[in-house]
Structures are given as structure tokens and as C-alpha cells.
Amino acid sequence: MKSRRPSCSDSGSESSEPDSKSPEKYETATRRRMAANARERKRMQGLNTAFDRLRKVVPQWGQDKKLSKYETLQMALSYIMALSRILTDPRRHAAPHRQWLDLQLEAVEPQTFSCLLEYDQPRAQDYVHSDFYQFEAPQLHL
DNA sequence: TAGGCCATCTGGTCCT
DNA sequence: AGGACCAGATGGCCTA
């Protein structure tokens, strides 16, 4: 685990110093803060686990360098768009690519993509303020 | 050494 | 009241 900020210990915030109120209240506040910190740490660890899982299924530029979180999201977006294009344009992506895609889909366990099937399609206006259409799809070396 | 990336803490807001 | 989520702040590590 990475070293933690020395100035920010689990003992609670600086602003929650003992005041004129009872020491019990201070103790309760400190305990609550520590619990909240622990929950936040756990939540972020879960988020990072999800990023790691995403990195494994997304194309990498190279094997040596790990994609950053931002790069992982961008790559996932491009990858999904590329796959979607293959699915929606069967003439252009005929036999060889299509066979490859079928193989990939066969290898996928249903429970791993069930969440995607339940996902509501985003509307076009949702992307108005994003770089959705500005990011180049990656070259897939199949 | 500067800049990028990251982990952690923290306070605010929303929800149950 | 307490938990989940979020964004800002801060400091550590790494690389060019």
C-alpha cells in the first residue's frame, strides 16, 4: 500500500479539535471520521479494482506501460465504438473480423456482460459537452 | 526539477 | 443518524 499523508492521520480532521463541547462528542466525531475514511478507502479500492478489470479487456498500447484511469476510460469508449461499428456494418466487416468477434463473444461469460445488457442506451444529447466524437478509435491488431 | 498520476483525507450533499 | 458519493486539497512517487 502506498504511504499515506503524514499530516492527515486517521485521528480525524484538524477542524474537529476539542472545543467547548463535551469530550464525548469530540470522541464520537473522531470515531465517525475514522469510519468514514475507512469506508472511502474501501470505496476507492473497489473503484480501482474495477479499473484493473477494465484494463484487462481493453486494448493496450504496449504491454509494459499501464494505462492511466483517464486513458482506460477513453480506450474503453473507443473500443466499444469500434466493436459497435463492426456489429452494425456487417458488409464492411465481413468474414474474418466477424468470425473473430463471434469467438470473442462465445468466450464471454453471460454474467460478465449482463450489466451492459441492462444498461440504458445514452441519448445523443448526453454527449454534447463531451469529447465523444473527437477521440480516434484505436487500431486493433487482431 | 516540473509535471503527471495516484492515494488519502476531508467536508458537503443526497439518500435511506 | 449514518452511509454513499463526490470534488477539492495535499503530499508522495516516478519519469522525462
Side-chain angles (χ1 to χ4, degrees):
Chain A
M1 185 198 272
K2 234 179 167 187
S3 65
R4 297 164 49 193
R5 289 175 57 197
S7 59
C8 299
S9 68
D10 280 343
S11 61
S13 71
E14 300 298 323
S15 58
S16 59
E17 284 175 16
D19 50 14
S20 53
K21 295 171 188 163
S22 68
E24 289 81 23
K25 281 196 173 179
Y26 171 68
E27 215 172 288
T28 304
T30 302
R31 212 179 318 116
R32 271 216 288 267
R33 227 320 120 196
M34 286 173 67
N37 289 348
R39 280 195 306 273
E40 178 65 6
R41 244 177 280 136
K42 196 174 173 188
R43 194 183 70 85
M44 293 308 293
Q45 280 162 13
L47 191 61
N48 289 334
T49 301
F51 266 106
D52 285 337
R53 291 176 63 190
L54 189 56
R55 275 186 194 103
K56 282 187 183 142
V57 298
V58 138
Q60 296 262 23
W61 296 120
Q63 300 302 316
D64 52 333
K65 194 175 180 304
K66 181 175 143 183
L67 291 177
S68 71
K69 292 177 179 179
Y70 176 79
E71 288 167 342
T72 302
L73 289 179
Q74 294 290 342
M75 184 60 81
L77 182 59
S78 301
Y79 191 39
I80 290 168
M81 289 178 72
L83 293 177
S84 154
R85 236 175 276 137
I86 291 172
L87 286 172
T88 55
D89 194 352
R91 280 171 305 153
R92 192 174 157 205
H93 305 282
H97 291 97
R98 199 45 206 252
Q99 282 167 14
W100 167 84
L101 185 62
D102 288 343
L103 281 174
Q104 299 299 308
L105 291 176
E106 278 174 21
V108 175
E109 309 245 345
Q111 63 266 27
T112 61
F113 62 87
S114 59
C115 59
L116 297 177
L117 298 177
E118 292 162 8
Y119 178 72
D120 287 337
Q121 283 281 341
R123 297 155 303 171
Q125 61 264 35
D126 290 340
Y127 300 112
V128 165
H129 299 296
S130 75
D131 293 335
F132 189 72
Y133 295 108
Q134 296 172 15
F135 192 78
E136 272 298 303
Q139 284 294 320
L140 301 178
H141 304 292
L142 307 175

